[in-house]
Amino acid sequence: MKKILITGKSSYVGTSLQKWLANYPDKYLLDSISLRSESWKDKDFSKYDAVVCVAGIAHIKETKENASLYYKVNRDLAYEVAQKAKFEGVKQFIFLSSMSVYGIESGVIDKSSPLKPKSNYGKSKLQAEELIKPLESNEFKLAIIRPPMIYGKGCKGNYSRLGSLALKIPIFPRIENMRSMIYIDNLSEFIRFIIDDSNSGLFFPQNADYVCTSEMVEMIAELHGTKIRMTKSFNFFIRLIRISTVKKIFGNLVYDKQIDEYKNRYTIYDFETSIRLTEK
């Protein structure tokens, strides 16, 4: 039986992962802590086999005033936790990074893609990776996970904004794009694989299939009994718009499927089922 500590007790990924792993009571002893106060520093890490660091700042509008908060939490705090884990003999450290470390809004990402984060979120995650990597050793395995957009029931971010939009507007552009996304339970199952295998390295989990934004919005509206008309009338103008949010919604941004060494074996729910569960 493995003893797992999740840092980020109240985070969306943290609470979801703990709930998912609790389905295997004969395999894992689970504990979680918050990093919001200094009390975590008094926690004895030595009894854990793995620490999963999912604490972080995300989904808040970036401003000059809150820029330092991203580096304080996403970089410095993660590094402090990793140092403590190694010093106290934890065998595996799993760090939740992000696709944002690539800093692009469209294209295909593979193992040779350059790292050029633009947002404070992406920069702080990449800097955390760079600080933590030198800690890795034969006795302290390091797994860095760079998920694409995460979604699921109760999630924040772009999915919830699109979901709200789907229920309010009568018309939505029909654009055939492709996005890498991952449903929260598929991500939790992926992390479970990493724990079971005591694996280390860089990982890029995603749903088995790329997502088309228009199809997703149409599906959400249909599940709620809302009528929404899909049209191609705006497509020409949308392709001319250079606003970041529009490019994120309607552009193509995917991970090359060849870089997933687990070959989607962690995909418990297909896309349609995951949307049904999210909107249930």
Side-chain angles (χ1 to χ4, degrees):
M1 180 170 287
K2 287 198 171 185
K3 297 175 182 175
I4 313 298
L5 176 64
I6 300 169
T7 70
K9 186 175 184 177
S10 57
S11 70
Y12 182 66
V13 174
T15 53
S16 301
L17 177 62
Q18 186 161 13
K19 185 179 177 183
W20 186 259
L21 294 178
N23 292 320
Y24 304 88
D26 57 330
K27 294 188 70 175
Y28 311 110
L29 279 176
L30 302 171
D31 201 357
S32 63
I33 55 172
S34 170
L35 303 180
R36 293 185 176 182
S37 72
E38 297 290 305
S39 61
W40 68 271
K41 294 180 180 179
D42 299 323
K43 183 81 171 177
D44 179 9
F45 280 18
S46 65
K47 59 185 177 181
Y48 298 106
D49 297 297
V51 169
V52 185
C53 183
V54 297
I57 299 293
H59 305 312
I60 59 174
K61 185 177 180 181
E62 294 193 9
T63 63
K64 287 183 180 178
E65 289 72 27
N66 67 23
S68 62
L69 186 62
Y70 279 90
Y71 297 93
K72 182 179 179 182
V73 176
N74 293 353
R75 180 191 63 194
D76 300 342
L77 197 53
Y79 181 50
E80 281 187 67
V81 173
Q83 283 182 306
K84 179 175 169 63
K86 180 171 182 175
F87 182 76
E88 297 187 9
V90 175
K91 301 180 185 70
Q92 185 186 31
F93 188 79
I94 301 171
F95 176 62
L96 190 75
S97 185
S98 170
M99 192 188 216
S100 296
V101 298
Y102 294 98
I104 60 174
E105 293 165 341
S106 62
V108 179
I109 296 171
D110 58 27
K111 286 188 175 179
S112 64
S113 296
L115 300 167
K116 294 181 178 178
K118 294 176 181 173
S119 64
N120 289 317
Y121 176 71
K123 290 176 183 175
S124 60
K125 284 290 187 182
L126 180 58
Q127 290 177 20
E129 289 185 19
E130 292 170 344
L131 280 172
I132 294 169
K133 275 179 186 173
L135 299 176
E136 186 173 20
S137 68
N138 291 334
E139 294 75 32
F140 186 69
K141 293 187 175 180
L142 172 63
I144 295 174
I145 303 172
R146 294 175 180 167
M149 189 174 91
I150 300 167
Y151 67 98
K153 195 170 187 62
C155 71
K156 295 178 180 177
N158 288 336
Y159 178 90
S160 61
R161 294 188 194 101
L162 279 171
S164 297
L165 202 61
L167 306 183
K168 292 176 181 174
I169 61 174
I171 300 174
F172 194 84
R174 183 181 293 285
I175 292 182
E176 294 179 1
N177 68 331
M178 294 190 300
R179 308 286 301 186
S180 283
M181 293 173 58
I182 187 161
Y183 179 55
I184 184 63
D185 286 351
N186 292 339
L187 176 61
S188 295
E189 179 69 355
F190 177 81
I191 296 174
R192 193 176 78 81
F193 275 31
I194 296 289
I195 292 170
D196 283 0
D197 295 346
S198 298
N199 211 343
S200 60
L202 271 175
F203 299 96
F204 315 87
Q206 61 181 331
N207 284 348
D209 298 312
Y210 298 140
V211 176
C212 170
T213 304
S214 301
E215 289 178 4
M216 184 177 74
V217 167
E218 191 172 25
M219 190 182 299
I220 292 171
E222 185 180 336
L223 285 169
H224 288 277
T226 302
K227 288 186 178 179
I228 187 167
R229 187 165 70 87
M230 312 304 287
T231 175
K232 295 183 178 180
S233 302
F234 310 128
N235 291 13
F236 175 77
F237 301 102
I238 287 174
R239 290 195 174 96
L240 294 178
I241 297 174
R242 298 301 176 194
I243 298 172
S244 175
T245 304
V246 174
K247 291 173 72 176
K248 283 182 180 177
I249 294 173
F250 296 109
N252 297 309
L253 180 59
V254 297
Y255 276 132
D256 183 339
K257 293 184 178 180
Q258 298 303 315
I259 63 175
D260 178 13
E261 70 175 72
Y262 281 88
K263 305 299 179 191
N264 283 119
R265 286 186 286 118
Y266 49 87
T267 300
I268 301 296
Y269 299 108
D270 62 25
F271 178 67
E272 185 173 340
T273 304
S274 73
I275 296 298
R276 289 183 185 281
L277 291 170
T278 300
E279 299 301 320
K280 191 175 178 181

